[in-house]
Amino acid sequence: MPMILAAFASGLLFGLGLIVSQMVDPAKVLAFLDIFGNWDPSLAFVMGGAVVVSSLGYGVAKRRGVPVLAPCLEIPSRRDIDPRLVAGAALFGIGWGLVGFCPGPALTALTFGPWQVPVFVAAMIAGMALFRIAPAKVQVSLRRTAPDLDG
Amino acid sequence: MEHFTPVSALVGGLMIGASAALLLLLTGRIAGISGILGGLVPPTRNEAAWRLAFLVGMLIAPLAYAALGGALPSISIDASLPVLIVAGLLVGYGTRLGAGCTSGHGVCGIGRLSPRSIAATLVFMATAIVTVFVTRHVIGM
């Protein structure tokens, strides 16, 4: 139960951060990505602030060695840059650039956004499901070790 | 740059970073949204509960923000239905194939200087910028 509450509180804080920073608005995100247009650098400030605090948290977590509510830290150990990583990131970036939604803001916008938000989220979940079922062959041939999540 | 909002961006960013730090320090898990959601498609036995709780927190955030008197930002989406579907599929599939998104690679991964996450972030930033350039300035979508 404490683990569930901790995850809930983190999710709540994450969503609030996306709202305060206005990253829930795809137009705001696209304005950042549009570096050749009327550029809005706000997203860089969001990322900068988030990376600094997450980095501090990582430092403390590593020094402690174990988390407060779980037996061990589950941090990805892989360091190799493989074709799957690059291809996946490239595809994600195209989708991100088309609408301006990445997974976090899309989910946070679900409860108050227009009809386009649930459509995008449904397609995103379908894409995740497709990854689980469709390209089994590709996955087996490229995957030598167990798939670990970076995020 | 008339829409530039550095203060609220920084404050929101600090909150997102604090969320990632909190999740890692308390539960040992990485606050990567695509991993948390993707891990529920389909759900795995032991990890489903905390993932679901995190997502419920995210979904409730706008309601909590409004209840506390905050004005929710407006959400404007110009994309057509086919574009929304293609983009959603690409984001869902791509984040699973690439094992992370803006939060898992961008915020958490860069925060621990992971070479994989730095590479992934550079790649998705680059393809996103090119996509926006093409759609806005080349074909004028």
Side-chain angles (χ1 to χ4, degrees), chain B residues 111-131:
Chain B
R112 48 171 214 280
L113 297 176
S114 152
R116 275 171 65 81
S117 291
I118 293 169
T121 306
L122 289 174
V123 170
F124 67 66
M125 282 283 179
T127 58
I129 287 169
V130 169
T131 302

Side-chain angles (χ1 to χ4, degrees), chain A residues 10 28 34 68-69 74 80, chain B residues 3 5 19 25-26 28 116 137:
Chain A
S10 302
K28 189 88 179 153
D34 191 10
V68 178
L69 304 171
E74 304 202 1
D80 61 306
Chain B
H3 302 305
T5 50
S19 158
L25 283 165
L26 294 180
R116 275 171 65 81
H137 304 293

